[in-house]
Amino acid sequence: MKQVYKCDFCDEVFSNKTEAEEHEKRCGYNPKNKINDKLVFRLSMIVESLSKILACALNEIAEDELDWLYCETDRATQTNCPFMIYKHKNIMLRVLREAKLVKNKHEGRNSSTHNDVIKEYPELYNAVIETLKRKSWNEW
């Protein structure tokens, strides 16, 4: 039977002790390797909120077109649109679904999502709206 070395923090196995020790120094499950960089945290906050920001911006500028935009995006195939639309189709559909939910919440008592986005990310929200309003590369 061959001897192997297992990481003390995850299930990875190595053929020698040196490889295992080197891995443990960088292992993401090692408590000494916690990520605490502030820029990484800020980036994750933006990424986490980005779909909400996009949904609120879409609700703001295309409130009456959300159903049509959803259908238009949903019919995207590899042959009927630029590749980037097809590539991001599922993400775009998720954002459009969220925009419809924001619309319903915004009209009712619970408008917190829309208000929170505007309060927490005013510059990013405004930048997204301006970007959505400007001409795209195929409109020049």
Side-chain angles (χ1 to χ4, degrees):
M1 180 159 39
K2 183 179 176 185
Q3 183 176 4
V4 293
Y5 298 85
K6 184 178 171 291
C7 173
D8 292 336
F9 308 103
C10 72
D11 293 331
E12 219 167 312
V13 178
F14 303 90
S15 59
N16 64 57
K17 187 176 181 179
T18 306
E19 285 179 3
E21 288 172 345
E22 286 301 311
H23 165 81
E24 287 177 356
K25 290 177 187 175
R26 315 180 304 282
C27 181
Y29 292 98
N30 183 340
K32 293 179 183 176
N33 293 333
K34 288 198 182 281
I35 296 172
N36 54 17
D37 185 89
K38 289 181 181 175
L39 191 55
V40 171
F41 278 109
R42 291 180 195 134
L43 178 61
S44 70
M45 288 169 48
I46 291 171
V47 169
E48 172 73 20
S49 300
L50 196 53
S51 65
K52 286 182 183 155
I53 294 166
L54 290 168
C56 289
L58 281 166
N59 180 271
E60 182 77 26
I61 67 168
E63 180 179 6
D64 297 332
E65 301 173 56
L66 293 175
D67 289 329
W68 182 82
L69 292 169
Y70 187 90
C71 290
E72 239 352 61
T73 303
D74 193 36
R75 69 183 192 85
T77 67
Q78 289 180 319
T79 58
N80 70 353
C81 64
F83 180 72
M84 67 181 178
I85 293 173
Y86 179 73
K87 179 182 175 187
H88 301 294
K89 175 181 176 176
N90 291 328
I91 295 168
M92 293 167 59
L93 290 172
R94 187 182 74 229
V95 168
L96 287 162
R97 276 191 301 272
E98 198 164 338
K100 288 193 226 181
L101 292 174
V102 167
K103 177 182 176 184
N104 294 338
K105 289 180 180 180
H106 188 58
E107 290 173 351
R109 290 182 295 116
N110 185 7
S111 62
S112 60
T113 301
H114 194 265
N115 293 339
D116 290 346
V117 163
I118 293 171
K119 185 177 82 176
E120 292 178 33
Y121 300 99
E123 302 89 354
L124 190 52
Y125 176 75
N126 290 325
V128 167
I129 286 180
E130 290 303 313
T131 302
L132 288 170
K133 286 181 177 179
R134 79 173 188 220
K135 291 182 179 184
S136 63
W137 60 269
N138 63 346
E139 293 178 298
W140 297 104

